[in-house]
Structure formats: C-alpha cells, structure tokens
Amino acid sequence: MASSRLEKNFLRLLVRCEAMAAEKRDEKDWRLEKYVEALQEMLTELKKHISKPAPEVLNEYSRKVEFMKGLLEAEKLPNPTEKALANQFLAPGRTSTTGKERISATKTVHLQTKARYTGEMRGELLGGPSLSANGSDVTELRRRSGMGDEKHSASELDAVLHHHHNVQERLAEEMLNLARNLKNNTLAAQNVIKQDNQTLTHSLRMADQNFEKLKVESERLEQHAKKSVNWLLWLMLVVVCFIFISMILFIRIFPKLR
C-alpha cells in the first residue's frame, strides 16, 4: 500500500502510463513522453521523502520507469531492426503495479512491442506491409500476392529467423570479444602488478642486507677506533716517561754550575 500521497499519485500515473503504452498510439502523441518525465520527477522526490517506501519497492519503481523511458527511446529509432534490438535489452517490472494483474503490465507491454517490432521486421524483409501480432497482415499479404503456397511462407519465415539468428550471433561475438579483451587486460595488469611486487620484495631484501652489512662494518669501525685510541694513549705515556727519565739523567749528569 502507498504510505504517502506522493506515492499514491506516483502509482496512479504509473498505471496510466502502462495503459497508454499498451494501446496503439499515434506518432504525434506526446502525452506518454510527458507523463514519463513526470514519473521520473516524482520518483526522485519519492526517494527523498521522509516516509519513502522500502528499498526493494523503490528499486521496482525505478525499474518500471527505466522500462518506460527505454520503450519511448526504442520507438524513436529509425528502422524496425534497431527497435527490436533495443526492445530485447529492456527489463520490465517483476511485480504488478495495482496488485490485480497476474502478470506485470510492463511485461505485457514488452511482449506486445516485441511482437509488433518482429512483425515490422518481417514486413520490411518481405517487401510488404508490417505484420501485426494477430496475423491479419499475413492474410492480406497472401491475398495481394495471389499465392497460398505454404512452402513459400515457410521460406520467408526462415529468412526472418535467419536474420534474427545472424543479429544475435553478431551481438554474441561482440560481447565475446569484449569479454576476451577484458580478460587479456586483466591478466596483463596482474602480470605487471606481480612483477612490481617481486621487484619491491627484492629491493626490500637488498635494503635489509645492506643495512645488516652497514651495521657490521659500523661495529668493526668502532672497535678499530677504540683500539687506535688505546695505542695512542700508551704511546703518549711512554713518550712522557721517556722525557721525564731523560730530564732526571740530564740533571744528574750536568750538575748546576756555581
């Protein structure tokens, strides 16, 4: 149930948009586009509202609004093939808006537009008018051509299916190439990172070894400096003693003159 007046108005407008999308509209009809823009604005306000719905409900609302926007964008494409491809990538809502339908209204609209675009593709390939979902244009095409050959119709249907199959194969090949390129780039990045890690580890190991060597040499230098100081001190003591003894001997040998 709607927990606020804003959500109630949003649901009413969403139901109206789903009903208009299910109907056959004129190309100059601009109402649905304006309604969808209003839906987007109301959804933005609803996300900021104090009593906003649960996150999963908001996600479902966003999914339905994005479906309506994608449906309008697909209708603006120039040819039926592009419309059918764009329609395949649309994601309708999962649940019913009013709670009364067994199947979501956006799913029904998705199936209807898919059938309509498929009929238009068939009509474009066969060189005649677009085929409707109920098959009335098939009868008209057979009447105009004057041929009721079922084998010929089957071959035409095979051509349509073959075209669809080629389009799907091309899309699958492009997606496979993108996935392969992404995998190669990922592997290359992993190799570069691995080499950088190895280089960094080697540098750290060398730095540790150099630090240990520097520590050992510092200790040896300190010990050598201590030894040098000790020898110098003893040498100075010996010199002082020698000078003292020499002075005494000099005084003894050469007495003071009178």
Side-chain angles (χ1 to χ4, degrees), residues 138-139 141-143 145-154:
V138 176
T139 306
L141 182 61
R142 289 178 179 175
R143 187 187 63 79
S145 60
M147 298 179 61
D149 191 2
E150 296 181 356
K151 185 181 293 186
H152 182 66
S153 299

Side-chain angles (χ1 to χ4, degrees), residues 53-63 94-95:
E56 56 272 12
V57 178
L58 284 175
N59 291 335
E60 182 66 17
Y61 290 165
S62 300
R63 186 183 183 92
R94 298 186 180 91
T95 59

Side-chain angles (χ1 to χ4, degrees), residues 125-126 153-166:
L125 290 173
L126 298 176
S153 299
S155 63
E156 293 172 347
L157 183 59
D158 289 339
V160 174
L161 295 176
H162 182 68
H163 176 73
H164 277 284
H165 183 68
N166 291 336

